[in-house]
């Protein structure tokens, strides 16, 4: 049985994964990239999106969990290159993220552009974190 050994994971990779997760999210949903389009399709505005410390703590915890999980998968699968890391990240994304996020389109009536923006974010996010944990 495979168990996650947190002591076998490089702490620098974990910190870098958390930072990457948060930076990619801030950029992806910023006015520089997809923020305005995402908000428009959600029929919301910037004033309704009040970020507070709890959001940052939650994002850091998500980044921590993703980084540990992806590091474990990378280790179990024997991935040693960034290309291999991106391949397995995109396979995980397709099998678990894209499919579950698309159910929001089907059952909740979530707009397709919102799905594409969110799913694209997770594809990029998982790929970057996977590459980080493989190379650091």
């Amino acid at each position: 049985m495979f168990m996650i050994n947190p002591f076998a994971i490089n702490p620098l990779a974990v910190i870098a994964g958390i930072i990457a997760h948060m930076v990619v999210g801030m950029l992806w949903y910023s006015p520089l990239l997809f923020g305005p389009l995402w908000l428009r399709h959600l029929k919301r505005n910037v004033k309704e999106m009040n970020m507070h410390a709890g959001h940052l703590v939650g994002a850091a915890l998500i980044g921590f969990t993703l980084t540990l999980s992806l590091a474990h998968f990378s280790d179990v699968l024997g991935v040693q290159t960034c290309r291999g890391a991106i391949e397995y990240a995109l396979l995980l994304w397709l099998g678990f993220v894209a499919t579950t996020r698309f159910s929001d389109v089907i059952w909740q009536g979530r707009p397709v552009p919102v799905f594409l923006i969110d799913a694209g974010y997770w594809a990029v996010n998982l790929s970057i974190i996977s590459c980080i944990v493989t190379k650091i």
Side-chain angles (χ1 to χ4, degrees):
M1 180 170 172
F2 293 106
M3 300 283 293
I4 295 176
N5 178 0
F7 300 108
I9 298 170
N10 185 336
L12 291 177
V14 174
I15 292 168
I18 293 167
I19 291 169
H21 169 73
M22 295 179 76
V23 169
V24 169
M26 285 186 230
L27 287 173
W28 197 266
Y29 293 100
S30 76
L32 297 172
L33 293 176
F34 301 105
L37 181 63
W38 184 73
L39 287 171
R40 184 170 65 241
H41 285 284
L42 285 174
K43 296 181 171 89
R44 298 184 73 182
N45 62 53
V46 175
K47 293 176 185 171
E48 294 175 304
M49 306 299 286
N50 298 322
M51 187 185 297
H52 54 76
H55 289 118
L56 296 175
V57 170
L61 288 172
I62 292 168
F64 176 76
T65 305
L66 282 171
T67 302
L68 284 182
S69 300
L70 291 169
H72 176 69
F73 288 132
S74 180
D75 183 49
V76 168
L77 295 172
V79 177
Q80 297 180 355
T81 66
C82 196
R83 179 181 171 162
I86 292 169
E87 287 175 3
Y88 91 77
L90 291 175
L91 184 60
L92 290 172
W93 169 82
L94 181 63
F96 298 104
V97 177
T99 54
T100 56
R101 299 294 301 203
F102 193 70
S103 69
D104 294 343
V105 173
I106 296 169
W107 299 108
Q108 296 176 6
R110 196 104 159 146
V112 172
V114 172
F115 160 76
L116 293 172
I117 292 167
D118 290 342
Y121 161 71
W122 286 109
V124 170
N125 193 27
L126 293 173
S127 296
I128 291 170
I129 293 172
S130 295
C131 192
I132 288 170
V133 298
T134 300
K135 299 312 284 178
I136 294 182

